[in-house]
Amino acid sequence: MRGYGGDGAGDIFEPRDPDFELRVRRSFAAQAFMGHLGAELTLVAPGAADIAMAFRPELTQQHGHFHAGTTTAIADSAAGYAALSLFPAGTGVLTADFTMNLLRPAGGVRLVAEGRVIKSGRTMTVCRGDVFSEAADGARRHVATGLFTMMQLAGIND
């Protein structure tokens, strides 16, 4: 299965594990924090992962917008799972570094984080995570973007 290109320059990512999707979905299901947020994994492809999270009052800050922590959490996980989709079996993923830019208040009925691999390396993979708010009528607004460095961990199952 061929996946998403990283930088728009024609790169197409090939997974090193034929069961990458099952491994990514198992790892996501085991992540208690994403469950606590009510987040769901909506897309898994080589070099790509999307996570959606419905609006709930307990996920907001004092002005009623999604809290920056929830926005950042789903962007980080989407980027991490995009990276994991390209790692070989028997490896896991851990965030080594990230920078997040909040572009505007995140309102709407749900957030969608789109994680995409930019450059897949032997041990470190660089990804971007873009977060969009969705209104009840389906309109989308770009609310945050981040750059993530993901580390490949050997000798673990997820």
Side-chain angles (χ1 to χ4, degrees):
M1 171 184 255
R2 295 174 61 103
Y4 286 72
D7 61 6
D11 291 340
I12 300 295
F13 296 118
E14 299 278 349
R16 291 183 265 171
D17 175 5
D19 295 323
F20 75 92
E21 184 174 357
L22 179 60
R23 191 162 52 96
V24 167
R25 290 190 182 282
R26 278 189 193 150
S27 178
F28 183 84
Q31 196 179 113
F33 187 58
M34 287 293 108
H36 178 72
L37 294 176
E40 62 180 294
L41 188 61
T42 59
L43 172 80
V44 179
D50 291 358
I51 296 174
M53 180 176 61
F55 178 87
R56 295 190 345 243
E58 59 271 25
L59 301 177
T60 64
Q61 42 82 297
Q62 69 275 18
H63 302 294
H65 303 291
F66 280 98
H67 192 282
T70 61
T71 304
T72 300
I74 64 170
D76 174 46
S77 286
Y81 286 120
L84 183 63
S85 73
L86 300 178
F87 293 172
T91 62
V93 64
L94 186 65
T95 303
D97 184 54
F98 72 87
T99 301
M100 196 72 190
N101 292 286
L102 304 169
L103 306 174
R104 61 180 46 92
V109 297
R110 83 177 191 154
L111 292 181
V112 176
E114 298 177 351
R116 301 294 184 267
V117 171
I118 297 170
K119 174 71 170 118
S120 182
R122 189 169 40 88
T123 57
M124 303 298 259
T125 295
V126 177
C127 303
R128 73 174 195 271
D130 293 302
V131 182
F132 300 88
S133 65
E134 292 185 347
D137 65 3
R140 287 173 41 121
R141 290 184 59 142
H142 195 186
V143 297
T145 193
L147 186 63
F148 299 82
T149 303
M150 300 297 175
M151 180 187 318
Q152 180 178 300
L153 299 174
I156 61 174
N157 293 325
D158 301 318

PDB file of all heavy atoms in Angstrom, residues 5-28:
ATOM      1  N   GLY A   5       2.490  11.426   0.267  1.00  0.00           N
ATOM      2  CA  GLY A   5       3.794  12.045   0.080  1.00  0.00           C
ATOM      3  C   GLY A   5       4.025  13.072   1.160  1.00  0.00           C
ATOM      4  O   GLY A   5       3.090  13.725   1.622  1.00  0.00           O
ATOM      5  N   GLY A   6       5.245  13.217   1.592  1.00  0.00           N
ATOM      6  CA  GLY A   6       5.553  14.072   2.731  1.00  0.00           C
ATOM      7  C   GLY A   6       5.529  15.555   2.441  1.00  0.00           C
ATOM      8  O   GLY A   6       4.780  16.301   3.037  1.00  0.00           O
ATOM      9  N   ASP A   7       6.347  16.018   1.513  1.00  0.00           N
ATOM     10  CA  ASP A   7       6.527  17.452   1.348  1.00  0.00           C
ATOM     11  C   ASP A   7       5.920  17.991   0.064  1.00  0.00           C
ATOM     12  O   ASP A   7       6.170  19.121  -0.310  1.00  0.00           O
ATOM     13  CB  ASP A   7       8.011  17.792   1.421  1.00  0.00           C
ATOM     14  CG  ASP A   7       8.825  17.110   0.331  1.00  0.00           C
ATOM     15  OD1 ASP A   7       8.225  16.465  -0.550  1.00  0.00           O
ATOM     16  OD2 ASP A   7      10.050  17.226   0.378  1.00  0.00           O
ATOM     17  N   GLY A   8       5.147  17.195  -0.606  1.00  0.00           N
ATOM     18  CA  GLY A   8       4.546  17.643  -1.847  1.00  0.00           C
ATOM     19  C   GLY A   8       5.498  17.550  -3.039  1.00  0.00           C
ATOM     20  O   GLY A   8       5.155  17.932  -4.138  1.00  0.00           O
ATOM     21  N   ALA A   9       6.696  17.024  -2.817  1.00  0.00           N
ATOM     22  CA  ALA A   9       7.689  16.939  -3.889  1.00  0.00           C
ATOM     23  C   ALA A   9       7.658  15.586  -4.586  1.00  0.00           C
ATOM     24  O   ALA A   9       8.589  15.226  -5.280  1.00  0.00           O
ATOM     25  CB  ALA A   9       9.081  17.196  -3.318  1.00  0.00           C
ATOM     26  N   GLY A  10       6.605  14.826  -4.375  1.00  0.00           N
ATOM     27  CA  GLY A  10       6.481  13.557  -5.063  1.00  0.00           C
ATOM     28  C   GLY A  10       6.866  12.350  -4.233  1.00  0.00           C
ATOM     29  O   GLY A  10       6.815  11.236  -4.734  1.00  0.00           O
ATOM     30  N   ASP A  11       7.312  12.553  -2.984  1.00  0.00           N
ATOM     31  CA  ASP A  11       7.638  11.407  -2.126  1.00  0.00           C
ATOM     32  C   ASP A  11       6.382  10.596  -1.861  1.00  0.00           C
ATOM     33  O   ASP A  11       5.334  11.144  -1.545  1.00  0.00           O
ATOM     34  CB  ASP A  11       8.188  11.871  -0.771  1.00  0.00           C
ATOM     35  CG  ASP A  11       9.556  12.501  -0.879  1.00  0.00           C
ATOM     36  OD1 ASP A  11      10.237  12.261  -1.881  1.00  0.00           O
ATOM     37  OD2 ASP A  11       9.937  13.226   0.046  1.00  0.00           O
ATOM     38  N   ILE A  12       6.509   9.296  -2.022  1.00  0.00           N
ATOM     39  CA  ILE A  12       5.431   8.378  -1.667  1.00  0.00           C
ATOM     40  C   ILE A  12       6.016   7.411  -0.649  1.00  0.00           C
ATOM     41  O   ILE A  12       7.076   6.827  -0.875  1.00  0.00           O
ATOM     42  CB  ILE A  12       4.893   7.611  -2.899  1.00  0.00           C
ATOM     43  CG1 ILE A  12       4.356   8.584  -3.943  1.00  0.00           C
ATOM     44  CG2 ILE A  12       3.844   6.594  -2.481  1.00  0.00           C
ATOM     45  CD1 ILE A  12       3.151   9.392  -3.513  1.00  0.00           C
ATOM     46  N   PHE A  13       5.339   7.259   0.474  1.00  0.00           N
ATOM     47  CA  PHE A  13       5.860   6.428   1.542  1.00  0.00           C
ATOM     48  C   PHE A  13       5.355   4.996   1.431  1.00  0.00           C
ATOM     49  O   PHE A  13       4.178   4.766   1.191  1.00  0.00           O
ATOM     50  CB  PHE A  13       5.478   7.010   2.903  1.00  0.00           C
ATOM     51  CG  PHE A  13       6.090   8.349   3.160  1.00  0.00           C
ATOM     52  CD1 PHE A  13       5.295   9.467   3.343  1.00  0.00           C
ATOM     53  CD2 PHE A  13       7.466   8.500   3.217  1.00  0.00           C
ATOM     54  CE1 PHE A  13       5.852  10.707   3.577  1.00  0.00           C
ATOM     55  CE2 PHE A  13       8.042   9.737   3.452  1.00  0.00           C
ATOM     56  CZ  PHE A  13       7.237  10.847   3.632  1.00  0.00           C
ATOM     57  N   GLU A  14       6.273   4.065   1.623  1.00  0.00           N
ATOM     58  CA  GLU A  14       5.959   2.639   1.643  1.00  0.00           C
ATOM     59  C   GLU A  14       6.124   2.148   3.070  1.00  0.00           C
ATOM     60  O   GLU A  14       7.187   2.344   3.669  1.00  0.00           O
ATOM     61  CB  GLU A  14       6.917   1.861   0.731  1.00  0.00           C
ATOM     62  CG  GLU A  14       6.864   2.265  -0.727  1.00  0.00           C
ATOM     63  CD  GLU A  14       5.724   1.626  -1.492  1.00  0.00           C
ATOM     64  OE1 GLU A  14       5.074   0.708  -0.955  1.00  0.00           O
ATOM     65  OE2 GLU A  14       5.470   2.056  -2.624  1.00  0.00           O
ATOM     66  N   PRO A  15       5.111   1.505   3.650  1.00  0.00           N
ATOM     67  CA  PRO A  15       5.254   0.983   5.011  1.00  0.00           C
ATOM     68  C   PRO A  15       6.245  -0.178   5.052  1.00  0.00           C
ATOM     69  O   PRO A  15       6.342  -0.948   4.094  1.00  0.00           O
ATOM     70  CB  PRO A  15       3.842   0.529   5.369  1.00  0.00           C
ATOM     71  CG  PRO A  15       3.183   0.266   4.065  1.00  0.00           C
ATOM     72  CD  PRO A  15       3.801   1.213   3.071  1.00  0.00           C
ATOM     73  N   ARG A  16       6.986  -0.297   6.159  1.00  0.00           N
ATOM     74  CA  ARG A  16       7.932  -1.399   6.323  1.00  0.00           C
ATOM     75  C   ARG A  16       7.298  -2.579   7.049  1.00  0.00           C
ATOM     76  O   ARG A  16       7.935  -3.601   7.233  1.00  0.00           O
ATOM     77  CB  ARG A  16       9.169  -0.918   7.074  1.00  0.00           C
ATOM     78  CG  ARG A  16      10.001   0.041   6.221  1.00  0.00           C
ATOM     79  CD  ARG A  16      11.243   0.465   6.924  1.00  0.00           C
ATOM     80  NE  ARG A  16      10.967   1.726   7.593  1.00  0.00           N
ATOM     81  CZ  ARG A  16      11.785   2.310   8.443  1.00  0.00           C
ATOM     82  NH1 ARG A  16      12.928   1.744   8.768  1.00  0.00           N
ATOM     83  NH2 ARG A  16      11.465   3.458   8.973  1.00  0.00           N
ATOM     84  N   ASP A  17       6.052  -2.403   7.461  1.00  0.00           N
ATOM     85  CA  ASP A  17       5.307  -3.462   8.144  1.00  0.00           C
ATOM     86  C   ASP A  17       3.987  -3.641   7.398  1.00  0.00           C
ATOM     87  O   ASP A  17       3.174  -2.715   7.345  1.00  0.00           O
ATOM     88  CB  ASP A  17       5.048  -3.059   9.599  1.00  0.00           C
ATOM     89  CG  ASP A  17       4.182  -4.035  10.362  1.00  0.00           C
ATOM     90  OD1 ASP A  17       3.827  -5.104   9.817  1.00  0.00           O
ATOM     91  OD2 ASP A  17       3.844  -3.733  11.518  1.00  0.00           O
ATOM     92  N   PRO A  18       3.734  -4.816   6.802  1.00  0.00           N
ATOM     93  CA  PRO A  18       2.478  -4.997   6.071  1.00  0.00           C
ATOM     94  C   PRO A  18       1.250  -4.895   6.973  1.00  0.00           C
ATOM     95  O   PRO A  18       0.159  -4.606   6.481  1.00  0.00           O
ATOM     96  CB  PRO A  18       2.609  -6.398   5.463  1.00  0.00           C
ATOM     97  CG  PRO A  18       3.668  -7.073   6.247  1.00  0.00           C
ATOM     98  CD  PRO A  18       4.581  -6.018   6.771  1.00  0.00           C
ATOM     99  N   ASP A  19       1.423  -5.080   8.269  1.00  0.00           N
ATOM    100  CA  ASP A  19       0.314  -4.971   9.225  1.00  0.00           C
ATOM    101  C   ASP A  19       0.329  -3.636   9.974  1.00  0.00           C
ATOM    102  O   ASP A  19      -0.143  -3.546  11.102  1.00  0.00           O
ATOM    103  CB  ASP A  19       0.367  -6.127  10.226  1.00  0.00           C
ATOM    104  CG  ASP A  19       0.135  -7.468   9.554  1.00  0.00           C
ATOM    105  OD1 ASP A  19      -0.690  -7.525   8.619  1.00  0.00           O
ATOM    106  OD2 ASP A  19       0.798  -8.447   9.953  1.00  0.00           O
ATOM    107  N   PHE A  20       0.870  -2.587   9.329  1.00  0.00           N
ATOM    108  CA  PHE A  20       1.009  -1.296   9.988  1.00  0.00           C
ATOM    109  C   PHE A  20      -0.316  -0.756  10.517  1.00  0.00           C
ATOM    110  O   PHE A  20      -0.370  -0.202  11.617  1.00  0.00           O
ATOM    111  CB  PHE A  20       1.665  -0.269   9.057  1.00  0.00           C
ATOM    112  CG  PHE A  20       0.751   0.249   7.982  1.00  0.00           C
ATOM    113  CD1 PHE A  20      -0.001   1.387   8.176  1.00  0.00           C
ATOM    114  CD2 PHE A  20       0.625  -0.420   6.774  1.00  0.00           C
ATOM    115  CE1 PHE A  20      -0.859   1.857   7.189  1.00  0.00           C
ATOM    116  CE2 PHE A  20      -0.219   0.034   5.787  1.00  0.00           C
ATOM    117  CZ  PHE A  20      -0.973   1.182   6.000  1.00  0.00           C
ATOM    118  N   GLU A  21      -1.400  -0.901   9.751  1.00  0.00           N
ATOM    119  CA  GLU A  21      -2.662  -0.305  10.176  1.00  0.00           C
ATOM    120  C   GLU A  21      -3.184  -0.957  11.451  1.00  0.00           C
ATOM    121  O   GLU A  21      -3.619  -0.258  12.375  1.00  0.00           O
ATOM    122  CB  GLU A  21      -3.725  -0.385   9.082  1.00  0.00           C
ATOM    123  CG  GLU A  21      -5.010   0.325   9.500  1.00  0.00           C
ATOM    124  CD  GLU A  21      -6.054   0.415   8.411  1.00  0.00           C
ATOM    125  OE1 GLU A  21      -5.801  -0.031   7.269  1.00  0.00           O
ATOM    126  OE2 GLU A  21      -7.143   0.931   8.708  1.00  0.00           O
ATOM    127  N   LEU A  22      -3.132  -2.270  11.523  1.00  0.00           N
ATOM    128  CA  LEU A  22      -3.566  -2.972  12.725  1.00  0.00           C
ATOM    129  C   LEU A  22      -2.710  -2.568  13.922  1.00  0.00           C
ATOM    130  O   LEU A  22      -3.229  -2.314  15.008  1.00  0.00           O
ATOM    131  CB  LEU A  22      -3.491  -4.487  12.509  1.00  0.00           C
ATOM    132  CG  LEU A  22      -3.886  -5.354  13.696  1.00  0.00           C
ATOM    133  CD1 LEU A  22      -5.328  -5.092  14.114  1.00  0.00           C
ATOM    134  CD2 LEU A  22      -3.680  -6.827  13.346  1.00  0.00           C
ATOM    135  N   ARG A  23      -1.391  -2.464  13.722  1.00  0.00           N
ATOM    136  CA  ARG A  23      -0.494  -2.073  14.811  1.00  0.00           C
ATOM    137  C   ARG A  23      -0.784  -0.654  15.293  1.00  0.00           C
ATOM    138  O   ARG A  23      -0.829  -0.389  16.494  1.00  0.00           O
ATOM    139  CB  ARG A  23       0.960  -2.196  14.343  1.00  0.00           C
ATOM    140  CG  ARG A  23       1.971  -2.069  15.455  1.00  0.00           C
ATOM    141  CD  ARG A  23       3.313  -2.634  15.025  1.00  0.00           C
ATOM    142  NE  ARG A  23       3.791  -2.102  13.774  1.00  0.00           N
ATOM    143  CZ  ARG A  23       4.643  -1.085  13.669  1.00  0.00           C
ATOM    144  NH1 ARG A  23       5.123  -0.504  14.733  1.00  0.00           N
ATOM    145  NH2 ARG A  23       5.025  -0.671  12.490  1.00  0.00           N
ATOM    146  N   VAL A  24      -1.024   0.272  14.379  1.00  0.00           N
ATOM    147  CA  VAL A  24      -1.341   1.654  14.746  1.00  0.00           C
ATOM    148  C   VAL A  24      -2.673   1.692  15.501  1.00  0.00           C
ATOM    149  O   VAL A  24      -2.791   2.334  16.549  1.00  0.00           O
ATOM    150  CB  VAL A  24      -1.380   2.570  13.509  1.00  0.00           C
ATOM    151  CG1 VAL A  24      -2.017   3.912  13.825  1.00  0.00           C
ATOM    152  CG2 VAL A  24       0.030   2.757  12.951  1.00  0.00           C
ATOM    153  N   ARG A  25      -3.674   0.994  15.003  1.00  0.00           N
ATOM    154  CA  ARG A  25      -4.990   1.010  15.661  1.00  0.00           C
ATOM    155  C   ARG A  25      -4.937   0.376  17.055  1.00  0.00           C
ATOM    156  O   ARG A  25      -5.586   0.851  17.983  1.00  0.00           O
ATOM    157  CB  ARG A  25      -6.034   0.347  14.774  1.00  0.00           C
ATOM    158  CG  ARG A  25      -6.365   1.195  13.545  1.00  0.00           C
ATOM    159  CD  ARG A  25      -7.559   0.685  12.768  1.00  0.00           C
ATOM    160  NE  ARG A  25      -7.783   1.498  11.595  1.00  0.00           N
ATOM    161  CZ  ARG A  25      -8.370   2.695  11.580  1.00  0.00           C
ATOM    162  NH1 ARG A  25      -8.811   3.225  12.700  1.00  0.00           N
ATOM    163  NH2 ARG A  25      -8.535   3.360  10.448  1.00  0.00           N
ATOM    164  N   ARG A  26      -4.157  -0.691  17.208  1.00  0.00           N
ATOM    165  CA  ARG A  26      -3.998  -1.306  18.536  1.00  0.00           C
ATOM    166  C   ARG A  26      -3.326  -0.342  19.510  1.00  0.00           C
ATOM    167  O   ARG A  26      -3.725  -0.230  20.667  1.00  0.00           O
ATOM    168  CB  ARG A  26      -3.167  -2.580  18.439  1.00  0.00           C
ATOM    169  CG  ARG A  26      -3.939  -3.778  18.023  1.00  0.00           C
ATOM    170  CD  ARG A  26      -3.068  -5.016  18.167  1.00  0.00           C
ATOM    171  NE  ARG A  26      -3.683  -6.132  17.494  1.00  0.00           N
ATOM    172  CZ  ARG A  26      -3.034  -7.127  16.940  1.00  0.00           C
ATOM    173  NH1 ARG A  26      -1.708  -7.163  16.980  1.00  0.00           N
ATOM    174  NH2 ARG A  26      -3.682  -8.091  16.353  1.00  0.00           N
ATOM    175  N   SER A  27      -2.298   0.328  19.046  1.00  0.00           N
ATOM    176  CA  SER A  27      -1.594   1.283  19.892  1.00  0.00           C
ATOM    177  C   SER A  27      -2.518   2.420  20.307  1.00  0.00           C
ATOM    178  O   SER A  27      -2.548   2.821  21.468  1.00  0.00           O
ATOM    179  CB  SER A  27      -0.369   1.833  19.162  1.00  0.00           C
ATOM    180  OG  SER A  27       0.294   2.782  19.955  1.00  0.00           O
ATOM    181  N   PHE A  28      -3.283   2.940  19.352  1.00  0.00           N
ATOM    182  CA  PHE A  28      -4.217   4.025  19.675  1.00  0.00           C
ATOM    183  C   PHE A  28      -5.242   3.559  20.705  1.00  0.00           C
ATOM    184  O   PHE A  28      -5.545   4.279  21.660  1.00  0.00           O
ATOM    185  CB  PHE A  28      -4.920   4.522  18.410  1.00  0.00           C
ATOM    186  CG  PHE A  28      -5.834   5.685  18.670  1.00  0.00           C
ATOM    187  CD1 PHE A  28      -5.324   6.969  18.706  1.00  0.00           C
ATOM    188  CD2 PHE A  28      -7.188   5.501  18.892  1.00  0.00           C
ATOM    189  CE1 PHE A  28      -6.147   8.056  18.969  1.00  0.00           C
ATOM    190  CE2 PHE A  28      -8.016   6.572  19.152  1.00  0.00           C
ATOM    191  CZ  PHE A  28      -7.500   7.854  19.190  1.00  0.00           C
TER     192      PHE A  28
END
